[in-house]
């Protein structure tokens, strides 16, 4: 199980790709978020793909992707993504995909509503990606029996009714939406159901027994819907919780290794607290250009306070994967922040107390970082010590060939023993 | 995280799902097809490599391979390695806006499908063309295939912006292991390609013609039927000089093509190219290094003379 202990973008994709490169992984399971994920994988031969809905192990022949019921599925973006995968030498991505019929469907109406709201917020944006994932989740909570779901794509009449109701409700609330008519959305959704294997909740148990699986988280724990810094959060549970629930249903709870991914620099794409932000860091991220919905990609020093909070929220990890060590090797003055001027430690509160989280956000926006006097020399050691968890895997570059398993990495190496398909 | 990377256009999505039918590569041939696929039929056809807003400096690369008995597995090798070829050309910056065309060569005197030619494509549609190629088996058994027919098509039935606008030759690779027939027969051209050729064209003349606009290479795989036979290599060396290359390992064909283009475009020297290959984890370095050793350093002219302009301006008249 791989989650990001920051604000996203730490390198989950590259870690999942590495796991699939080195062991016989059967399926990569997505358990939160939707098409707004952007997990970049660069192959040693130079091929690059930004994984949004397909699992980041898809470059490896035979590795499957399962989108569980916790994922918001966007059939339109999925088609475009499969097209690009075909262009970089993966022609059979659809043949290796299964989707849980209970998953919510993201539609052009959700997207248009999301963009209308975010535009209306103006300077007070939440950092949404403009993909309509949050909108989809909100509508699903408000109208659980009428929200369009993946399985509806097999029944044209049901889908037509649900899309129409969705469009009418959102139009009543927000005015005319910039989205195509229902009649134009139907063929794409029906073609999706024709091409992709739609399964029920019991499918995953079979996959888990067929061979090793990797649970690929999206976004980051610090953006979690209940524990993130409200309101700069995502409509999704970004901890291990959903993955643990899926394992429990298959009778395998607690059997997976929990890996937290971190960068040597703490980053954030979009507005919200980033206590250690340092605009003077001469860094840029090739995969995260400025976009109209999230704005600039922001860099800060390693924020051990925030990451320790994420670790506590997630309920601990078996080990860490530390990426972007090549930055530390570049002679930049990268520091570790172990406490803020007004706070030594952040303590997780009860899930769902958003007033508390909003108050925490206000304090963080005022807090100033305190840094170690000298730059760390042995990053894996320093990070492991600061967070009280061993660094199992380090990454020094964009491809799976740039990964190093540390001596504590026996956990990962032992991971397949007893799980290989017989 | 969070980019909205992939297009969510409702109109193209339906098409994309319908196109992604999950057929095997070479599904056309594997389904028992014995006639040329209409999309690859050279009859009355021309093939164009054009610039576009997206690809302003197209570099045409044509890859034509023998698909008769001894060489039947070449296209499958190519298909498996194709992404790597594209990856090298595009991502290592070996060529501006490469457009690749695939074609297949048989024997005009006895095969059912002696010439198949795809379109110049800059994306995965070239894969579709590969999938439509009929794999012959067969062949004439007299150490000859109709390579001259393929050269004739390339010389007289292709149009490239690269040449028309910039005076730059494209790249043509013929992969095979036999001799060409001594002349392009007018009757065969009329039957296969159409037009109205009045007379046979000797192979040397068609080579002269094709090399004016195409940097032409012949790749002879070792281990193929006749490759140990000096006669074949000598024949192609006689026509193409050092551009007749011997390949120890057919699996290295894509890497050889990519590096040859990179050398021709002066994007790399051989050492850089071989280092790139090593970095991609390719096992072909030895083979490629051996095959291309003769080419390194002897580079083609950057710009050939521009095509003769068709307007008769106030030129000097010599008596």
């Amino acid at each position: 199980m791989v989650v990001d202990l920051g604000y996203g973008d730490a390198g989950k994709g590259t870690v999942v790709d590495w796991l699939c490169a080195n062991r016989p992984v059967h399926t990569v399971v997505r358990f939160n978020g939707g098409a707004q994920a952007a997990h970049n994988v660069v192959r040693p031969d130079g091929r690059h793909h930004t994984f949004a809905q397909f699992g980041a192990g898809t470059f490896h022949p035979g590795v499957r992707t399962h989108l569980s019921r916790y994922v918001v599925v966007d059939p339109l973006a999925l088609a475009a993504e499969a097209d690009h995968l075909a262009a970089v030498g993966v022609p059979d991505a659809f043949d290796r995909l299964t989707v849980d019929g209970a998953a919510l469907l993201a539609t052009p109406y959700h997207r248009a509503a999301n963009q209308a709201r975010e535009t209306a917020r103006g300077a007070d944006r939440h950092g949404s990606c403009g993909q309509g994932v949050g909108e989809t989740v909100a509508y699903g909570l408000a109208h659980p029996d009428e929200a369009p779901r993946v399985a509806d794509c097999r029944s044209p009449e049901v889908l037509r009714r649900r899309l129409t109701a969705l469009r009418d409700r959102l139009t009543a609330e927000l005015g005319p939406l910039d989205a195509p008519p229902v009649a134009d959305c139907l063929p794409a959704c029906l073609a999706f159901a024709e091409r992709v294997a739609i399964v029920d909740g019991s499918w995953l148990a079979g996959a888990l027994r067929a061979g090793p699986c990797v649970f690929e988280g999206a976004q980051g724990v610090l953006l979690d819907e209940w524990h993130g810094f409200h309101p700069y959060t995502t409509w999704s549970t970004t901890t291990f919780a959903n993955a643990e629930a899926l394992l429990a249903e298959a009778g395998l709870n607690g059997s997976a290794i929990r890996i937290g991914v971190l960068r040597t620099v703490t980053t954030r794409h979009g507005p919200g607290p980033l206590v250690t932000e340092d605009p003077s860091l001469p860094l840029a991220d090739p995969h995260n250009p400025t976009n109209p919905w999230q704005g600039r990609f922001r860099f800060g020093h390693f924020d051990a306070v925030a990451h320790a909070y994420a670790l506590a929220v997630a309920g601990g990890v078996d080990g860490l994967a530390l990426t972007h060590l090549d930055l530390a090797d570049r002679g930049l003055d990268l520091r570790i922040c172990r406490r803020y001027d007004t706070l030594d430690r952040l303590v997780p509160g009860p899930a769902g107390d958003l007033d508390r989280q909003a108050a925490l956000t206000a304090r963080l926006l005022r807090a100033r970082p305190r840094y170690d006097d000298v730059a760390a020399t042995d990053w894996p050691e320093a990070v492991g010590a600061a967070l009280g968890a061993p660094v199992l895997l380090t990454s020094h570059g964009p491809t799976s060939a740039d990964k190093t398993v540390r001596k504590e990495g026996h956990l990962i190496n032992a991971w397949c023993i007893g799980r290989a398909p017989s | 995280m969070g980019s909205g990377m992939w297009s969510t256009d409702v109109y193209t999505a339906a098409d994309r799902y319908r196109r992604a039918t999950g057929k095997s590569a070479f599904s056309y041939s594997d389904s028992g097809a014995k006639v040329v696929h209409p999309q690859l039929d050279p009859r009355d056809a021309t093939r164009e490599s054009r610039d576009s807003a997206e690809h302003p400096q197209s570099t045409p690369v044509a890859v034509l391979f023998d698909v008769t008995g001894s060489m039947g597995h070449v296209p499958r090798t190519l298909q498996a390695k194709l992404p790597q070829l594209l990856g090298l050309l595009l991502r290592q910056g070996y060529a501006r806006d490469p457009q690749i065309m695939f074609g297949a060569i048989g024997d005009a005197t006895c095969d059912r499908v002696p010439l198949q030619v795809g379109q110049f494509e800059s994306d995965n549609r070239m894969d579709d063309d590969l999938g439509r190629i009929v794999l012959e088996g067969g062949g004439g058994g007299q150490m000859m295939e109709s390579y001259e027919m393929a050269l004739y098509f390339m010389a007289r039935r292709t149009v490239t912006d690269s040449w028309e606008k910039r005076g730059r030759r494209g790249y043509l690779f013929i992969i095979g292991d036999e001799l060409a027939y001594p002349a392009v027969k007018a009757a065969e051209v009329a039957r296969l390609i159409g037009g109205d050729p009045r007379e046979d064209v000797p192979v040397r003349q068609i080579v002269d013609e094709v090399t004016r606009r195409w940097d032409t290479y012949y790749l002879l795989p070792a281990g193929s039927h006749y490759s140990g036979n000096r006669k074949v290599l000598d024949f192609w060396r006689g026509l193409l000089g050092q551009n007749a290359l011997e390949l120890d390992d057919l699996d290295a064909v894509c890497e050889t093509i990519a590096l040859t283009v990179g050398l021709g475009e002066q994007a790399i020297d051989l050492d850089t190219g071989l280092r790139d290959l090593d970095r991609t984890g390719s096992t072909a370095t030895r083979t490629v290094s051996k095959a291309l050793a003769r080419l390194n350093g002897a580079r083609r002219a950057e710009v050939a003379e521009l095509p003769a302009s068709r307007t008769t301006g106030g030129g000097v008249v010599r008596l």
Side-chain angles (χ1 to χ4, degrees), chain A residues 57-377:
Chain A
T58 303
F59 270 124
H60 303 283
V63 175
R64 311 182 56 91
T65 295
H66 178 64
L67 300 179
S68 70
R69 68 170 182 277
Y70 294 112
V71 177
V72 172
V73 177
D74 187 332
L76 309 181
L78 189 72
E81 187 180 352
D83 243 25
H84 184 262
L85 277 165
V88 293
V90 183
D92 62 341
F94 280 139
D95 301 322
R96 295 192 255 138
L97 176 70
T98 48
V99 186
D100 190 320
L104 288 165
L105 214 51
T107 70
Y109 309 112
H110 296 115
R111 223 178 339 268
N114 174 206
Q115 296 183 1
R117 275 188 233 273
E118 196 75 350
T119 306
R121 282 187 196 116
D124 200 18
R125 289 184 176 179
H126 295 180
S128 155
C129 303
Q131 288 285 95
V133 173
E135 203 66 46
T136 309
V137 175
Y139 186 85
L141 289 171
H143 308 281
D145 300 333
E146 286 179 81
R149 292 178 191 271
V150 167
D152 300 339
C153 295
R154 289 190 294 211
S155 332
E157 270 321 301
V158 175
L159 185 62
R160 181 196 308 278
R161 239 188 358 262
R162 292 187 172 178
L163 287 176
T164 307
L166 164 72
R167 185 201 55 197
D168 294 346
R169 282 197 180 104
L170 290 175
T171 307
E173 185 186 353
L174 297 162
L177 295 173
D178 178 20
V182 170
D184 292 359
C185 296
L186 281 172
C189 294
L190 301 176
F192 155 75
E194 283 277 297
R195 183 66 188 86
V196 171
I198 298 174
V199 298
D200 66 14
S202 64
W203 185 90
L204 182 58
L208 288 165
R209 283 177 173 67
C213 293
V214 174
F215 284 80
E216 178 181 359
Q219 301 148 318
V221 171
L222 293 177
L223 300 168
D224 184 77
E225 56 187 337
W226 301 124
H227 297 287
F229 304 136
H230 188 78
Y232 306 101
T233 57
T234 177
W235 280 81
S236 135
T237 297
T238 57
T239 61
F240 296 108
N242 292 346
E244 290 288 9
L246 291 167
L247 279 172
E249 284 160 30
L252 294 165
N253 36 335
S255 62
I257 295 195
R258 301 151 68 97
I259 298 177
V261 186
L262 288 166
R263 276 193 190 220
T264 50
V265 284
T266 300
T267 61
R268 178 162 201 151
H269 201 176
L274 179 58
V275 176
T276 56
E277 184 167 16
D278 182 352
S280 72
L281 285 172
L283 298 171
D285 192 289
H287 303 309
N288 282 291
T290 296
N291 68 49
W293 305 108
Q294 297 168 281
R296 243 174 6 91
F297 194 70
R298 302 152 67 203
F299 288 91
H301 294 274
F302 188 89
D303 187 342
V305 183
H307 295 316
Y309 171 79
L311 201 61
V313 163
V317 296
D318 293 309
L320 301 168
L322 186 61
T323 68
H324 296 74
L325 274 158
D326 45 326
L327 296 182
D329 302 337
R330 271 179 20 195
L332 296 172
D333 184 23
L334 298 177
R335 299 297 174 92
I336 294 183
C337 162
R338 296 173 201 270
R339 56 185 196 85
Y340 305 151
D341 55 350
T342 52
L343 285 162
D344 287 345
R345 205 158 62 93
L346 305 178
V347 181
D353 186 349
L354 292 181
D355 292 341
R356 177 186 180 278
Q357 293 307 110
L360 180 59
T361 303
R363 286 192 70 180
L364 289 177
L365 289 171
R366 288 194 306 270
R368 292 287 162 266
R370 291 277 178 267
Y371 293 117
D372 288 356
D373 293 338
V374 289
T377 45

Side-chain angles (χ1 to χ4, degrees), chain B residues 78-184:
Chain B
L78 270 173
Q79 173 124 39
K81 307 277 271 195
L82 181 65
Q84 219 179 348
L85 166 63
L86 269 176
L88 281 164
L89 288 176
L90 290 168
R91 270 165 288 277
Q92 309 276 15
Y94 287 5
R96 282 290 309 266
D97 305 325
Q99 296 189 338
I100 303 181
M101 172 192 127
F102 288 110
I105 299 164
D107 184 345
T109 61
C110 60
D111 281 346
R112 280 170 300 241
V113 193
L115 182 61
Q116 308 171 67
V117 281
Q119 305 281 357
F120 285 97
E121 303 281 11
S122 354
D123 55 29
N124 57 325
R125 275 174 300 206
M126 66 185 71
D127 236 5
D128 300 347
D129 280 345
L130 265 179
R132 295 187 186 108
I133 285 174
V134 177
L135 309 175
E136 278 279 343
Q142 67 279 68
M143 217 167 122
M144 291 189 191
E145 299 293 348
S146 301
Y147 301 111
E148 74 292 339
M149 192 64 67
L151 295 171
Y152 177 94
F153 185 92
M154 293 305 295
R156 301 197 180 178
R157 295 303 187 90
T158 57
V159 185
T160 69
D161 274 351
S162 168
W163 175 257
E164 306 276 312
K165 293 184 181 174
R166 294 182 288 280
R168 292 182 68 99
R169 289 197 291 259
Y171 295 86
L172 166 61
F173 295 89
I174 308 262
I175 304 164
D177 63 348
E178 302 187 50
L179 311 180
Y181 285 96
V184 185

Side-chain angles (χ1 to χ4, degrees), chain B residues 19-280:
Chain B
R19 274 207 323 272
T21 45
K23 282 195 302 238
S24 76
F26 302 109
S27 48
Y28 183 68
S29 187
D30 293 346
S31 68
K34 295 291 180 238
V35 294
V36 62
H37 191 287
Q39 304 241 26
L40 304 187
D41 193 346
R43 197 171 168 76
D44 301 327
T46 47
R47 294 293 185 248
E48 304 179 337
S49 163
R50 297 294 191 190
D51 296 347
S52 64
E54 212 181 334
H55 304 286
Q57 296 258 336
S58 54
T59 305
V61 179
V63 182
L64 299 162
F65 37 84
D66 182 342
V67 286
T68 54
S70 55
M71 299 286 289
H73 58 295
V74 176
R76 293 187 197 267
T77 307
L78 270 173
Q79 173 124 39
K81 307 277 271 195
L82 181 65
Q84 219 179 348
L85 166 63
L86 269 176
L88 281 164
L89 288 176
L90 290 168
R91 270 165 288 277
Q92 309 276 15
Y94 287 5
R96 282 290 309 266
D97 305 325
Q99 296 189 338
I100 303 181
M101 172 192 127
F102 288 110
I105 299 164
D107 184 345
T109 61
C110 60
D111 281 346
R112 280 170 300 241
V113 193
L115 182 61
Q116 308 171 67
V117 281
Q119 305 281 357
F120 285 97
E121 303 281 11
S122 354
D123 55 29
N124 57 325
R125 275 174 300 206
M126 66 185 71
D127 236 5
D128 300 347
D129 280 345
L130 265 179
R132 295 187 186 108
I133 285 174
V134 177
L135 309 175
E136 278 279 343
Q142 67 279 68
M143 217 167 122
M144 291 189 191
E145 299 293 348
S146 301
Y147 301 111
E148 74 292 339
M149 192 64 67
L151 295 171
Y152 177 94
F153 185 92
M154 293 305 295
R156 301 197 180 178
R157 295 303 187 90
T158 57
V159 185
T160 69
D161 274 351
S162 168
W163 175 257
E164 306 276 312
K165 293 184 181 174
R166 294 182 288 280
R168 292 182 68 99
R169 289 197 291 259
Y171 295 86
L172 166 61
F173 295 89
I174 308 262
I175 304 164
D177 63 348
E178 302 187 50
L179 311 180
Y181 285 96
V184 185
K185 305 252 190 339
E188 281 172 11
V189 172
R191 181 167 60 89
L192 293 170
I193 297 179
D196 199 8
R198 280 180 302 278
E199 53 193 13
D200 294 0
V201 186
V203 71
R204 171 142 327 259
Q205 186 187 328
I206 205 68
V207 165
D208 284 346
E209 226 177 287
V210 82
T211 48
R212 230 168 286 156
R213 291 192 301 121
W214 294 94
D215 237 357
T216 307
Y217 298 84
Y218 190 89
L219 306 182
L220 176 71
S224 54
H225 188 39
Y226 289 110
S227 65
N229 186 329
R230 297 293 309 176
K231 194 171 165 187
V232 175
L233 188 61
D234 290 344
F235 172 84
W236 288 104
R237 285 255 155 94
L239 287 172
L240 299 170
Q242 61 174 16
N243 283 13
L245 306 171
E246 229 185 340
L247 271 189
D248 286 351
D249 175 7
L250 190 54
D251 275 354
V253 70
C254 274
E255 291 90 335
T256 306
I257 291 173
L259 258 63
T260 305
V261 172
L263 288 169
E265 293 293 294
Q266 301 185 332
I268 43 164
D269 57 23
L270 187 55
D271 289 344
T272 315
L274 295 174
R275 264 203 306 278
D276 287 347
L277 283 190
D278 271 338
R279 252 207 306 279
T280 62

